[in-house]
Amino acid sequence: MSALLTEPIDAFGKVILFGEHSVVYGYPALAVGIPGGVSVQHAVRRDKGSVVRVKEWGLEAHTESSGSFADALRKALELVPGKGDVEITMQTRLPLGAGVGSSAAFSVAITKAIAYARDERLLPVTVRKIAHEIEHIFHGSPSGIDDMVATFGGIVLFSKSGIKDLDIRVGWVEIERCGYLLSLRTPSLVVGFSGKTHSTREMVEKVRKGFLASKESTERLFMKTKEALEEGINALRQKDLKKLGQALSKNHEALKELGVSTKESEEMLEIAKKAHAIGGKISGAGGGGAVVVLAPGFEQECLNAWKEAGYSGFILPSSNFIIWSSKN
Ligand code: PMV
């Protein structure tokens, strides 16, 4: 039954460097893709009823099952062109509900896998559009940054109002309305997991309540986040790690004031600081989940210190996006 894929089918995980939550309100956000987030191992047509399996998540969802993954499978079968049921097996390095884009990577991977099994060709923009619809099942009303990064990878600036009113001076390519690949290289980053999963939907709701209760102070925090993003992008361009660290921490201050940090996330950032991190923040919706820190030359020390305190994590190596000219 297991047929080898004739081409790799995968989707990126993501780490948000700047702008989670404020991005839901139209502010810009910056995220980096985690290569090999979800990879499809097996995708074939079958006669009756579809199934998707992800061993690391203990997941087996059928068209007849209940739950969000089965809903996602049904949605994908409906939206991907062509006909026919499928059997799909995936592998992942992303923990669920931890702020590293697992559901978006799943949504992209299942879209591509069904298209492959049905012998259909999809443009990346179509993959992303379908994945965005599937993401609604997991998150209610996602901003779109996760599915954008899950599809394209690289260093993605997501900005509904475009790039022109931002105070940044970098090369970029528009990949879609509101999505831009930036010509930047990110340094090595350390991503840590608190071990406490979160619900993005609940955290977005929490911020919404705060916004409705006090628009002015919430907008002030969103503006601070936007400033941190601009400072961070310019620091990346100038390869100024100190400024980048400061910008990450500035964004974290705003997130903390928004009420999405936790005791564990604060402890992880404190531990990282003692292990020579020069900046960091929660990454993703918060309420547990992930943190990302910059600890140039001390990445492993940081990881070890977290492990000693009972937390886990990984090093995301330096990444870059190269704009290929037509001559290449
Ligand atoms: O689901 P997470 O933890 O990867 O976070 C998503 C980022 C948010 O800005 C909180 C929500 C969104 O839709 O952009």
Side-chain angles (χ1 to χ4, degrees):
M1 201 195 330
S2 168
L4 282 181
L5 297 177
T6 55
E7 60 193 77
I9 306 176
D10 49 20
F12 293 86
K14 67 99 221 289
V15 176
I16 298 184
L17 294 186
F18 298 101
E20 50 275 270
H21 287 294
S22 56
V23 68
V24 174
Y25 297 77
Y27 287 81
L30 186 80
V32 193
I34 303 175
V38 170
S39 346
V40 176
Q41 296 181 300
H42 169 81
V44 290
R45 271 178 77 146
R46 63 175 351 218
D47 283 342
K48 222 166 81 209
S50 291
V51 56
V52 56
R53 297 187 186 92
V54 189
K55 199 171 104 225
E56 294 81 358
W57 296 340
L59 173 77
E60 177 162 317
H62 296 257
T63 13
E64 318 78 50
S65 332
S66 56
S68 49
F69 282 98
D71 289 344
L73 171 64
R74 282 187 286 271
K75 186 61 138 182
L77 288 163
E78 173 200 324
L79 296 178
V80 173
K83 291 216 176 325
D85 279 308
V86 293
E87 175 171 336
I88 295 165
T89 311
M90 299 178 185
Q91 207 176 32
T92 182
R93 40 190 290 209
L94 307 172
L96 275 175
V100 283
S102 53
S103 65
F106 174 84
S107 304
V108 166
I110 198 163
T111 300
K112 286 176 158 183
I114 295 174
Y116 174 88
R118 289 179 173 173
D119 207 13
E120 294 284 340
R121 284 272 147 198
L122 299 183
L123 289 171
V125 285
T126 311
V127 170
R128 191 253 156 174
K129 215 165 147 193
I130 296 173
H132 187 67
E133 290 306 310
I134 302 171
E135 269 280 87
H136 278 85
I137 293 168
F138 295 109
H139 291 329
S141 45
S143 64
I145 186 167
D146 282 17
D147 39 88
M148 187 79 81
V149 186
T151 308
F152 295 96
I155 302 163
V156 173
L157 176 68
F158 187 89
S159 178
K160 284 186 183 154
S161 56
I163 205 160
K164 299 209 173 60
D165 69 329
L166 289 175
D167 180 21
I168 53 172
R169 291 165 291 275
V170 289
W172 49 269
V173 172
E174 184 172 332
I175 43 174
E176 237 188 279
R177 201 180 59 79
C178 64
Y180 304 83
L181 279 171
L182 301 190
S183 174
L184 286 173
R185 186 179 184 90
T186 52
S188 254
L189 296 162
V190 200
V191 180
F193 297 117
S194 66
K196 201 172 140 197
T197 56
H198 67 199
S199 153
T200 300
R201 198 190 279 262
E202 279 167 25
M203 297 316 291
V204 168
E205 196 42 46
K206 182 173 182 179
V207 172
R208 174 143 333 260
K209 279 195 186 131
F211 177 75
L212 293 175
S214 172
K215 271 194 184 162
E216 209 177 297
S217 60
T218 311
E219 291 272 9
R220 184 180 50 77
L221 295 175
F222 291 164
M223 281 308 292
K224 183 171 175 171
T225 301
K226 180 173 176 246
E227 267 170 39
L229 172 134
E230 289 170 334
E231 286 160 15
I233 291 177
N234 289 324
L236 280 168
R237 181 178 62 86
Q238 293 158 357
K239 299 189 173 41
D240 188 331
L241 295 180
K242 194 168 163 225
K243 276 197 190 145
L244 177 62
Q246 284 164 352
L248 290 169
S249 298
K250 179 169 174 173
N251 192 162
H252 181 71
E253 282 166 24
L255 289 164
K256 197 174 163 186
E257 264 196 75
L258 277 177
V260 296
S261 190
T262 59
K263 188 167 68 56
E264 291 81 6
S265 305
E266 291 304 314
E267 186 181 61
M268 290 184 85
L269 292 173
E270 208 40 55
I271 292 173
K273 205 167 154 190
K274 286 190 187 132
H276 307 289
I278 57 172
K281 62 186 273 291
I282 61 167
S283 182
V291 298
V292 57
V293 304
L294 179 64
F298 292 95
E299 289 85 357
Q300 194 58 52
E301 280 79 353
C302 199
L303 210 51
N304 293 346
W306 281 341
K307 280 188 183 155
E308 258 173 51
Y311 300 114
S312 60
F314 68 96
I315 297 171
L316 182 64
S318 169
S319 64
N320 63 337
F321 166 63
I322 298 156
I323 300 176
W324 296 102
S325 78
S326 53
K327 286 194 189 111
N328 281 319

